[in-house]
């Protein structure tokens, strides 16, 4: 795969963990004779008060105003992974202002289910990928977005994820095939220890981080933690960027609802990546809580750009 010489920026809107409200009334009790029963109890006690649909709407409207080139959603659109929730999430994805890409989160795969009736309803926003074909790759100009699926059904009180050997091997292949491009990796669970408790962790985070570090990427975007964190992929200097939940009402500044604006501008030597985290509270309104910029060198891109210079 080859890039072009266009030097205009590609603007990405990264959001996650929207946790759209479930249908009211909830479906028959038969849908909750499993782990979902505990999740419903947690939702009624806590999450219904903390994850506010009006905040998700405000975030979406701010993204609309920003007019990004791509919208990247790193999962947990639902609370219980019900078919009705997944259908409502598909409508919400369709309302986004630009080409949208999504990967599932743990809430979207809470129990084992029939893929076409659940997260498979989002195939339009996952490059028509089915359950066994992740990761997918979407090319937009000089940017390659690679979407991994870390969502697996887990026992009660667990919210961990796994990529697995097959996805890791395909990830390595895609990273190699797109090395002339600015490679953006999307994943729900962060591939690094310590950002979430063990019971919520990516079980094969070391193996995933090794693949990314060895084959290279420009930036890795994750959700799950609900925190505006900035770390690196272990074994590399690749930025690992978290984002607050788009719907979370919180008193802790780094967890207040928001999204990441990421502008990627090609240069002669590689890329300039500009990250701004925008967060909203009803008392303050919108604020930019984080602004970082990286210059990334790509020897291969430099060679191609030099070869394309007029003689």
């Amino acid at each position: 795969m080859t890039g072009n010489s266009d030097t205009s920026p590609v603007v990405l809107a990264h959001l996650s963990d929207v946790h759209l409200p479930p249908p009211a009334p909830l479906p028959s009790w038969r849908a909750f004779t499993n782990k979902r029963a505990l999740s419903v109890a947690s939702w009624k006690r806590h999450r219904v008060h903390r994850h506010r649909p009006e905040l998700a709407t405000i975030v979406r409207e701010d993204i609309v105003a920003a007019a990004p080139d791509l919208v990247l959603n790193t999962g947990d659109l639902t609370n219980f992974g019900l078919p009705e929730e997944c259908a409502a999430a598909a409508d919400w994805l369709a309302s986004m202002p630009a080409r949208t890409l999504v990967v599932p989160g743990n809430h979207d795969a809470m129990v084992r289910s029939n893929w076409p009736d659940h997260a498979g309803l989002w195939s339009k926003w996952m490059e028509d990928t089915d359950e066994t074909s992740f990761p997918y790759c979407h090319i937009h100009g000089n940017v390659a977005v690679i979407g991994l699926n870390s969502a697996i059904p887990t026992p009660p009180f667990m919210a961990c994820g796994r990529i697995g050997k097959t996805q890791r091997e395909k990830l390595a292949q895609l990273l190699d095939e797109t090395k002339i491009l600015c490679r953006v990796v999307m994943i729900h669970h962060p591939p690094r220890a310590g950002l979430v408790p063990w019971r919520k962790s990516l079980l094969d985070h070391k193996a995933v981080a090794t693949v990314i570090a060895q084959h290279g990427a420009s930036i890795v975007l994750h959700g799950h933690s609900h925190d505006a964190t900035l770390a690196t992929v272990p074994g590399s200097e690749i930025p690992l960027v978290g984002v607050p939940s788009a719907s979370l009402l919180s008193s802790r500044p780094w967890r207040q609802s928001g999204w990441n604006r990421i502008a990627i501008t090609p240069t002669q030597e590689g890329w300039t990546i500009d990250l701004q985290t925008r967060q909203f509270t009803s008392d303050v309104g919108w604020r930019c809580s984080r602004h970082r910029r990286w210059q990334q060198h790509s020897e291969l891109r430099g060679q191609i750009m030099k070869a394309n210079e007029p003689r």
Side-chain angles (χ1 to χ4, degrees):
M1 299 181 182
T2 59
N4 57 53
S5 58
D6 184 11
T7 57
S8 56
V10 173
V11 177
L12 312 177
H14 171 217
L15 75 162
S16 196
D17 298 85
V18 181
H19 292 293
L20 295 168
L26 289 173
S28 165
W29 61 268
R30 292 179 178 85
F32 299 96
T33 56
N34 47 40
K35 180 183 175 181
R36 286 186 180 130
L38 292 172
S39 189
V40 168
S42 173
W43 177 73
K44 288 184 175 181
R45 285 198 309 269
H46 305 294
R47 295 205 312 272
V48 68
H49 306 294
R50 297 176 181 174
H51 287 283
R52 306 302 304 161
E54 62 271 19
L55 291 176
T57 298
I58 289 169
V59 167
R60 186 183 66 81
E61 290 173 348
D62 197 52
I63 292 174
V64 170
D69 297 295
L70 292 173
V71 177
L72 308 184
N73 190 314
T74 47
D76 272 3
L77 282 83
T78 72
N79 284 284
F80 315 121
L82 294 166
E84 297 89 344
E85 289 182 288
C86 292
D91 292 338
W92 196 82
L93 289 168
S95 74
M96 300 308 291
R99 179 73 171 94
T100 298
L101 301 169
V102 65
V103 293
N106 56 289
H107 279 265
D108 307 321
M110 186 166 289
V111 300
R112 196 170 303 280
S113 57
N114 184 34
W115 175 262
D117 299 330
H118 291 76
L121 295 172
W122 309 337
S123 63
K124 175 181 177 181
W125 299 280
M126 297 187 290
E127 297 293 278
D128 295 319
T129 302
D130 63 31
E131 188 175 16
T132 62
S133 301
F134 284 89
Y136 64 78
C137 182
H138 175 84
I139 307 295
H140 183 100
N142 288 295
V143 175
V145 180
I146 298 172
L148 290 161
N149 181 10
S150 62
I152 56 172
T154 56
F157 307 110
M158 299 293 287
C160 49
R162 181 185 294 110
I163 293 300
K165 182 180 179 181
T166 300
Q167 281 198 73
R168 295 197 304 268
E169 290 176 346
K170 187 175 178 182
L171 172 63
Q173 178 183 346
L174 287 173
L175 290 172
D176 287 344
E177 290 175 352
T178 57
K179 59 186 175 182
I180 182 56
L181 304 175
C182 182
R183 295 163 293 178
V184 179
V185 177
M186 295 171 61
I187 184 173
H188 184 67
H189 295 78
R192 184 183 181 98
L195 294 179
V196 293
W198 177 84
R199 70 179 186 88
K200 298 183 178 182
S201 67
L202 185 67
L203 297 177
D204 54 348
H205 65 86
K206 290 183 180 179
V208 174
T210 297
V211 170
I212 296 172
Q214 289 181 349
H215 294 266
S218 296
I219 191 168
V220 178
L221 308 178
H222 72 85
H224 195 43
S225 66
H226 298 182
D227 292 338
T229 52
L230 178 58
T232 56
V233 175
S236 76
E237 296 181 355
I238 298 168
L240 176 62
V241 179
V243 66
S245 160
S247 63
L248 187 62
L249 182 66
S250 177
S251 61
R252 289 175 283 182
W254 62 93
R255 290 177 65 84
Q256 291 163 348
S257 63
W259 63 285
N260 290 328
R261 180 190 183 276
I262 302 163
I264 299 170
T265 305
T267 67
Q268 287 291 119
E269 296 78 23
W271 324 97
T272 297
I273 300 179
D274 185 276
L275 166 68
Q276 296 181 44
T277 299
R278 290 179 55 77
Q279 292 183 267
F280 179 87
T281 56
S282 59
D283 55 338
V284 175
W286 283 104
R287 75 184 194 279
C288 179
S289 60
R290 172 175 63 184
H291 191 185
R292 299 286 188 275
R293 183 173 295 169
W294 300 273
Q295 300 287 339
Q296 292 191 342
H297 178 72
S298 170
E299 184 176 346
L300 182 58
R301 176 173 171 79
Q303 293 171 355
I304 292 176
M305 293 293 288
K306 186 175 181 179
N308 289 338
E309 290 178 354
R311 297 182 181 276

